Amino acid sequence: MSQPLPLTGIRVIDYSHFLAGPYVGRCLAGLGAEVIKVERPGSGDAGRQHSFVLDDYQSGYFLQLNMGKQGVSVNMKDPRGKAFMQQLCDSADVFIENYRPGALNKLGLGYQELAARNPKLVYCSISAYGHTGPDAHRAGFGLIAEAKSGIMQMVGTPGEAPPLLRISLGDMYTGIHAVAAINAALLGRVTSGKGQHIDMALYDTLVSMHEYAVQCHTLSGGDILPEQTGHDMPTSTLYGVFRAADGDLVIAAQVDEAWKRFATLVEQDAHQPGFGSDARFHTLKGRNAHREEILATVKAWVAHNPVARLLGLLDGIDVPCAKVQRIDEVIDDPQIKARGMIQEQQHPRYGTLRLPNLPFRFSDCDTTIASVAPDLGEHNVQVAQRLGLSADEIARLVADGVLYTQEVKP
């Protein structure tokens, strides 16, 4: 690894909390940016008390989303705190926030005010609905956007309430889109010389994810309305989740040639004469039309076999498949180990931490973050020094609580 990380020399102010914003900051830190995490005195980011809580100072949630950052805690109720923050933003390339639209204007940290002082600033806002439109003022989380986007309505068993998605799809997907937008704005700044405001909405992002539902509905003149289908995809037979004798697996044999190999295997292994040669099933349209008949045969075959045997048979004929794994199996998966997707960090209080890595892979630099998430206000003095404040000025800010550092027991 001989190249510097791509964002080396870029300073980011992460004035965000919980998930979407902090994830953006973590990604930018992994790409080499200097990321300064700013929190309120006392409680700090609310994510510090979100599962899994280790003690009074940190949670696994916070450790994962804020590694690689420097920690500053500023009292914005004091005019000196506002002045400190504005001076910090004057020195920055990127500002990240995920508060309700307009909230930071009251603190002197809105886009217009900061951009007037620092025209090169790339200012990224993340909110539930964005900064325009009739819902812009409304509060919301990923759960709200998932429900409103139509995604939640399409999953689950017909006749039952949709399940809660157990990953924060809206926050994480919006976060990585924000990373892309920030990098594009930084690149554009090279020629324009100016930054700009990036307005990201969880709701927008999830609607943009619809790869088939929206276009199927609009292009069919409104005739097609995706509904809950349970464990398979009615428009892509055979593509779904199946229960084996000792667990669950997914099978993706929706492409014609893969289907023919798969159907021949089922015919031979399940003693179903003619299943592999049935011309009705040789096109996607035909398979979709006879979906229930196909599912009955496949489900019966899968149910009488252990997962390992089925995976061996399917891998042998190059039909995509996988076991539905628990998290402990994911962590121990040789592929995940080979890709370094569970990284280890050494924490001075908690010892070895094992947390998900970022998925970025570059040929000539390493984006794995070595430094752990900061304690509340841990780097106040260092950041203030880099802004040019004198030792006496820093001492007064600390003594007056403008710069707050939480005392942490070893």
Side-chain angles (χ1 to χ4, degrees), residues 53-101:
V53 178
L54 292 163
D55 54 26
D56 293 335
Y57 318 114
Q58 298 278 31
S59 67
Y61 193 89
F62 187 87
L63 289 168
Q64 178 173 327
L65 292 166
N66 294 283
M67 62 175 68
K69 303 176 186 179
Q70 300 167 57
V72 170
S73 182
V74 183
N75 180 7
M76 291 296 294
K77 295 179 180 179
D78 189 304
R80 292 172 294 173
K82 176 181 175 179
F84 179 90
M85 275 301 302
Q86 290 185 327
Q87 185 179 354
L88 185 59
C89 292
D90 290 347
S91 74
D93 300 284
V94 179
F95 184 88
I96 306 164
E97 62 92 6
N98 61 343
Y99 289 87
R100 202 181 302 197

Side-chain angles (χ1 to χ4, degrees), residues 206-276:
L206 290 183
V207 170
S208 80
M209 287 183 68
H210 283 295
E211 85 282 9
Y212 83 97
V214 171
Q215 51 92 358
C216 282
H217 184 67
T218 58
L219 297 180
S220 69
D223 291 341
I224 297 176
L225 188 63
E227 297 289 347
Q228 291 173 301
T229 60
H231 300 103
D232 75 303
M233 188 83 73
T235 57
S236 297
T237 309
L238 180 97
Y239 188 93
V241 187
F242 299 89
R243 174 139 291 180
D246 60 348
D248 300 319
L249 76 157
V250 293
I251 303 172
Q254 79 282 21
V255 179
D256 289 348
E257 293 307 311
W259 165 261
K260 292 174 184 177
R261 296 193 300 273
F262 174 76
T264 299
L265 169 66
V266 174
E267 176 179 337
Q268 295 171 350
D269 198 63
H271 308 293
Q272 293 286 331
F275 188 73

Side-chain angles (χ1 to χ4, degrees), residues 173-225:
Y173 201 65
T174 304
I176 200 61
H177 270 63
V179 172
I182 288 168
N183 279 288
L186 288 172
L187 182 61
R189 193 181 69 171
V190 173
T191 53
S192 71
K194 295 175 62 179
Q196 56 185 305
H197 185 205
I198 299 168
D199 177 10
M200 302 292 303
L202 306 185
Y203 191 16
D204 292 351
T205 305
L206 290 183
V207 170
S208 80
M209 287 183 68
H210 283 295
E211 85 282 9
Y212 83 97
V214 171
Q215 51 92 358
C216 282
H217 184 67
T218 58
L219 297 180
S220 69
D223 291 341
I224 297 176
L225 188 63

Side-chain angles (χ1 to χ4, degrees), residues 339-396:
R339 298 283 292 175
M341 280 307 300
I342 303 297
Q343 70 172 93
E344 290 191 355
Q345 293 183 316
Q346 297 304 315
H347 195 281
R349 291 194 304 280
Y350 311 128
T352 301
L353 304 175
R354 300 178 71 203
L355 299 167
N357 204 347
L358 294 173
F360 308 134
R361 293 293 176 272
F362 291 82
S363 64
D364 212 18
C365 56
D366 185 5
T367 59
T368 301
I369 296 173
S371 60
V372 299
D375 288 323
L376 186 56
E378 181 179 344
H379 302 99
N380 285 340
V381 173
Q382 296 94 316
V383 171
Q385 287 172 338
R386 291 203 298 277
L387 291 179
L389 276 69
S390 69
D392 288 342
E393 289 174 317
I394 295 172
R396 283 196 297 272

Side-chain angles (χ1 to χ4, degrees), residues 286-303:
R287 289 193 297 279
N288 290 341
H290 297 92
R291 168 174 163 263
E292 294 298 338
E293 181 180 349
I294 289 171
L295 287 175
T297 298
V298 174
K299 286 180 178 179
W301 173 62
V302 170

